[in-house]
Amino acid sequence: MVQGLDKTWLELLRKGAREAGLYMLAGAAALGVATGSAPAVQAQGLTEAQYQRLKSEVKKELAEEGGTDLKVKWKGAPELSSSDGKFKFKVRGRLNVDYNGIDQDEAITGDPDVSAVELRRARIGVEGVVFSDVGYKFEIDFAGDGASVKDAYIEYSGLPFDITVGNFKPYNSLEEMMSANYLTFMERAAFIEAFGLDRLIGAGLSYDQNKHWTLSAGVFATTPESDQVTFYEDGTTFSSRLTVAPINEERRVVHLGASVRQRDAAGEPRDGVTENLFRYRARGADLHLADRFIETPYIGESDTFWGLEGAVVWGSFSIQGEYSQNKVDVASSIANVSPTYDGWYIDASYFLTGETRPYKDGVFGRVKVNNPVFDGGGWGAWQIAGRYDVLDLSDQAAAIAAGGVVSCAACGEQKTWLVGVNWYLNDYTRLMLNVNQSEIAGGINDGAEVTGVGMRAQIDW
């Protein structure tokens, strides 16, 4: 044990750390002295030899008591972890502030133009790891003057495959599986909304240990988390997805994928009124504040979805597309038909500033900006993009209406062109501009042209 003044210092450090219950305070104090200049150390009444002995004693004491068990890493927000990596904790969130200006072709559709702002997403949550193998995520969205649970699950990764239980995305579609933080356009392709691809409560198995392929499968409830008390008996959803990346290198990726989903509608509603059948619809111009100009009534008692995916990244250039079909079993009380609806898109994008789209575990992730905008020091990343998006809900519209139970007056086809520019100020912040136009064919809105402009300011952490 050191003697004199340095012993007094050590005892004070010990006492303060014990009272706080955290020996990391002693480590922080020792580190602060260690990084000070020689005059600063001397100003505390310590000689260099006394200081070195003090430092050694603090380290020894901390080692005996378990050490400084905290690491901090900045990933948009501080991520706290234990020194052995067995425990991690991070506050996460995102904010999307949008403007939509939309000409809804009122002369045909009867719907007035839109010029409005919204908080498209306003989420806060936590994620972390407990004892190395158990992960968790919980996130709530406060957008839309309400609160809704998004990801809320527990995941065990101690096996060759991961086991996930909770509220999360079933395994379908490249764009659906990607975080909205990393989408090229403001909204996903129209078929994703139309065919009801969204989070559900369930359990799944996924394998992603090989960088060249992934395989996932799960069973879920059919009713979204927000409607779980609506029905006496829930339906069942099965989904599975396979991805293959024969080329998966930095700045060079070839992605191929396929997924399937089968689901049955929920049973009797508790209020005796709420519809328990599926309906299919999407917003015009691929903008969130637009009205829907093609849609079916509530008709489906079950449906089967399948989709194909493809993407290529070559340096700063990327091309991506998906094709999907959804075969619907219409309730026999409505009509004895099984229409097949389909949707597909193809898009291309290019980074003018040299960045690329990172790829991992069957999805594209966060763009790494080469020259962030910081104190006027960089231009950020600039990306230009275009898309053609098609959704067809017209199959057997006449036969559905012929039963006389429902009308299929808005069962039609929507074709949408989109052009976008994205400015990434840094890895976590971007501004987006989309210019879109939808052409409607069939149904009561036949011939309508819905044109819109969307702008977004986005940050996540």
Side-chain angles (χ1 to χ4, degrees):
M1 183 66 67
V2 292
Q3 302 297 321
L5 182 59
D6 48 347
K7 180 178 179 179
T8 302
W9 271 68
L10 180 57
E11 290 304 319
L12 287 173
L13 287 172
R14 287 174 178 166
K15 184 176 182 296
R18 288 194 181 100
E19 288 177 351
L22 297 170
Y23 263 84
M24 67 186 76
L25 294 178
L31 180 62
V33 175
T35 56
S37 63
V41 172
Q42 293 169 1
Q44 303 300 324
L46 295 176
T47 67
E48 182 64 24
Q50 287 175 326
Y51 160 69
Q52 291 298 336
R53 289 196 302 273
L54 170 60
K55 180 179 175 182
S56 176
E57 279 296 316
V58 170
K59 287 184 176 179
K60 180 181 178 181
E61 188 78 10
L62 290 172
E64 291 174 354
E65 297 292 337
T68 56
D69 197 31
L70 179 66
K71 290 185 176 180
V72 181
K73 181 167 59 174
W74 189 266
K75 296 179 67 176
E79 179 184 84
L80 310 181
S81 64
S82 60
S83 58
D84 57 10
K86 291 183 178 180
F87 298 86
K88 295 181 181 179
F89 175 83
K90 179 180 182 291
V91 176
R92 58 180 288 118
R94 71 183 75 174
L95 181 63
N96 296 173
V97 183
D98 285 14
Y99 168 78
N100 284 184
I102 310 167
D103 179 349
Q104 300 200 123
D105 202 348
E106 186 175 4
I108 295 178
T109 66
D111 294 329
D113 296 346
V114 174
S115 179
V117 295
E118 68 165 339
L119 292 180
R120 179 66 175 90
R121 296 176 180 89
R123 300 183 187 176
I124 191 72
V126 296
E127 62 179 321
V129 174
V130 180
F131 286 108
S132 300
D133 297 327
V134 179
Y136 61 89
K137 183 185 290 187
F138 178 73
E139 193 170 52
I140 294 180
D141 194 348
F142 293 97
D145 196 27
S148 60
V149 176
K150 296 301 180 180
D151 286 327
Y153 61 78
I154 303 168
E155 185 172 76
Y156 180 72
S157 57
L159 299 171
F161 52 86
D162 297 337
I163 303 173
T164 307
V165 179
N167 194 61
F168 61 102
K169 294 178 180 179
Y171 307 108
N172 297 109
S173 169
L174 172 58
E175 271 213 332
E176 172 60 13
M177 294 304 297
M178 288 173 56
S179 167
N181 293 329
Y182 315 136
L183 297 176
T184 303
F185 297 90
M186 290 175 60
E187 304 296 337
R188 293 180 169 90
F191 79 83
I192 294 175
E193 178 192 5
F195 299 158
L197 303 184
D198 204 351
R199 293 173 178 84
L200 297 171
I201 298 175
L205 304 178
S206 58
Y207 176 84
D208 57 10
Q209 301 301 308
N210 190 305
K211 76 171 189 175
H212 292 292
W213 65 278
T214 70
L215 178 62
S216 306
V219 57
F220 303 82
T222 293
T223 306
E225 181 277 331
S226 58
D227 297 325
Q228 280 299 306
V229 299
T230 304
F231 303 97
Y232 286 110
E233 182 180 357
D234 207 343
T236 304
T237 298
F238 298 94
S239 78
S240 183
R241 179 173 182 252
L242 170 68
T243 71
V244 178
I247 299 176
N248 185 5
E249 304 171 359
E250 187 174 358
R251 299 182 63 83
R252 290 202 305 167
V253 175
V254 174
H255 164 91
L256 301 171
S259 68
V260 297
R261 182 199 66 185
Q262 198 284 325
R263 62 176 181 168
D264 301 313
E268 181 183 354
R270 293 175 183 269
D271 61 7
V273 177
T274 302
E275 289 285 354
N276 64 337
L277 301 177
F278 301 125
R279 67 174 172 179
Y280 309 92
R281 58 182 186 163
R283 298 184 184 276
D286 286 5
L287 290 171
H288 189 247
L289 294 181
D291 290 316
R292 298 179 176 95
F293 305 104
I294 61 168
E295 62 180 319
T296 73
Y298 290 95
I299 56 173
E301 61 181 8
S302 66
D303 60 23
T304 301
F305 165 95
W306 64 266
L308 300 176
E309 315 164 9
V312 174
V313 173
W314 204 264
S316 297
F317 175 76
S318 174
I319 186 170
Q320 176 178 310
E322 297 188 62
Y323 176 80
S324 65
Q325 281 193 354
N326 199 30
K327 184 176 181 180
V328 179
D329 295 321
V330 175
S332 58
S333 60
I334 296 175
N336 292 314
V337 295
S338 297
T340 298
Y341 302 136
D342 59 14
W344 61 276
Y345 72 88
I346 186 168
D347 66 42
S349 63
Y350 182 75
F351 280 99
L352 302 174
T353 45
E355 287 76 8
T356 192
R357 297 179 71 200
Y359 176 86
K360 183 180 180 182
D361 298 339
V363 294
F364 291 96
R366 186 181 304 278
V367 172
K368 179 65 176 178
V369 178
N370 293 334
N371 295 292
V373 177
F374 178 72
D375 288 340
W379 288 96
W382 288 84
Q383 181 186 33
I384 55 174
R387 165 181 282 180
Y388 185 56
D389 182 15
V390 177
L391 175 65
D392 190 350
L393 303 179
S394 64
D395 190 38
Q396 300 194 47
I400 294 171
V405 179
V406 298
S407 169
C408 212
C411 298
E413 182 181 29
Q414 177 174 285
K415 299 177 179 179
T416 305
W417 289 94
L418 302 86
V419 176
V421 177
N422 297 321
W423 180 24
Y424 297 76
L425 282 73
N426 52 56
D427 295 356
Y428 301 91
T429 311
R430 69 173 171 173
L431 304 179
M432 308 179 72
L433 171 65
N434 286 183
V435 179
N436 311 348
Q437 183 179 65
S438 290
E439 298 175 354
I440 310 300
I444 58 175
N445 295 311
D446 183 52
E449 293 186 355
V450 181
T451 304
V453 174
M455 293 183 286
R456 170 174 296 166
Q458 169 186 313
I459 189 168
D460 74 284
W461 58 91

